[in-house]
């Protein structure tokens, strides 16, 4: 399974606890069930989720990918000319497995190499970054412009304070 939760601490913490509980139940079952999770979370080493997963006996592979070495697709990427954006922080990929799963689906060096290649393929081009910055600046300007319109209307239309003209 793949787990890529919203990057909100309580949600990530709950996900980590649930995954660890399921792995423990699978390991305790007669015959050790093959259960495997690839967890993608921010590289926030101080977070409870990160610490719990990394310290778990089910953790088979930990890959930390620097922000500069990968990009990401956000939710509406299919509607955009440039689907990839720079990652604002490092990303941690943790492979959590029962013993049987680790034998069946080894998270070896080849796995990590392929993972790093896939993440690197999402680094946006310089041209894409320039377009995104221009688009984002235009969006900020539009929002700021709407705020100025409201202020002028509230202040009497000329930007000065409301009054009776005296």
């Amino acid at each position: 399974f793949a787990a890529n939760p919203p990057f909100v601490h309580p949600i990530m913490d709950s996900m980590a606890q649930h995954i660890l509980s399921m792995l423990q139940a699978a390991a305790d079952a007669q015959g050790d069930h093959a259960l495997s999770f690839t967890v993608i979370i921010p590289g926030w080493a101080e977070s409870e989720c990160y610490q719990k997963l990394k310290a778990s006996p089910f953790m088979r592979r930990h890959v930390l990918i620097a922000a500069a070495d990968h990009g990401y697709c956000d939710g509406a990427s299919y509607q955009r000319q440039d689907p990839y954006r720079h990652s604002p922080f490092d990303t941690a990929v943790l492979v959590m497995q029962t013993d049987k799963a680790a034998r069946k689906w080894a998270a070896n060096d080849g796995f990590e190499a392929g993972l790093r290649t896939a993440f690197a393929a999402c680094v946006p081009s310089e041209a894409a970054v320039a377009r995104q910055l221009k688009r984002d600046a235009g969006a900020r300007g539009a929002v700021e412009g709407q705020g100025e319109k409201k202020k002028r209307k509230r202040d009497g239309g000329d930007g000065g304070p409301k009054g009776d003209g005296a």
Side-chain angles (χ1 to χ4, degrees):
F1 295 97
N4 184 6
F7 297 167
V8 177
H9 288 286
I11 294 171
M12 293 189 314
D13 297 345
S14 179
M15 175 216 57
Q17 187 57 50
H18 187 65
I19 286 173
L20 293 174
S21 295
M22 291 192 311
L23 286 164
Q24 189 62 58
D28 290 345
Q30 188 175 16
D32 178 30
H33 294 289
L35 185 58
S36 180
F37 290 91
T38 300
V39 181
I40 302 162
I41 56 175
W44 300 336
E46 70 286 350
S47 73
E48 180 182 330
C49 170
Y50 192 101
Q51 290 178 11
K52 267 187 180 177
L53 293 175
K54 194 166 178 214
S56 169
F58 296 107
M59 208 267 303
R60 306 296 182 203
R61 191 79 178 200
H62 170 246
V63 180
L64 186 63
I65 303 171
D69 294 340
H70 73 292
Y72 72 95
C73 293
D74 58 23
S77 62
Y78 65 93
Q79 297 176 328
R80 297 199 175 109
Q81 176 184 359
D82 303 307
Y84 304 120
R85 301 180 68 74
H86 274 296
S87 180
F89 37 75
D90 298 348
T91 295
V93 179
L94 297 102
V95 178
M96 313 297 296
Q97 298 176 315
T98 60
D99 289 340
K100 189 170 186 177
R103 289 189 301 274
K104 189 172 183 177
W105 305 295
N108 55 25
D109 291 345
F111 165 82
E112 182 172 336
L115 183 71
R116 288 186 181 279
T117 298
F119 269 74
C122 296
V123 173
S125 68
E126 288 183 26
V129 171
R131 282 189 295 272
Q132 291 166 1
L133 290 172
K134 185 176 179 181
R135 184 189 70 231
D136 293 349
R140 277 192 302 277
V143 169
E144 290 168 2
Q146 288 176 354
E148 285 299 314
K149 283 182 192 176
K150 288 178 182 176
K151 184 177 183 229
R152 283 193 301 273
K153 187 174 181 180
R154 186 179 61 242
D155 290 344
D158 62 359
K162 276 188 171 180
D164 59 5

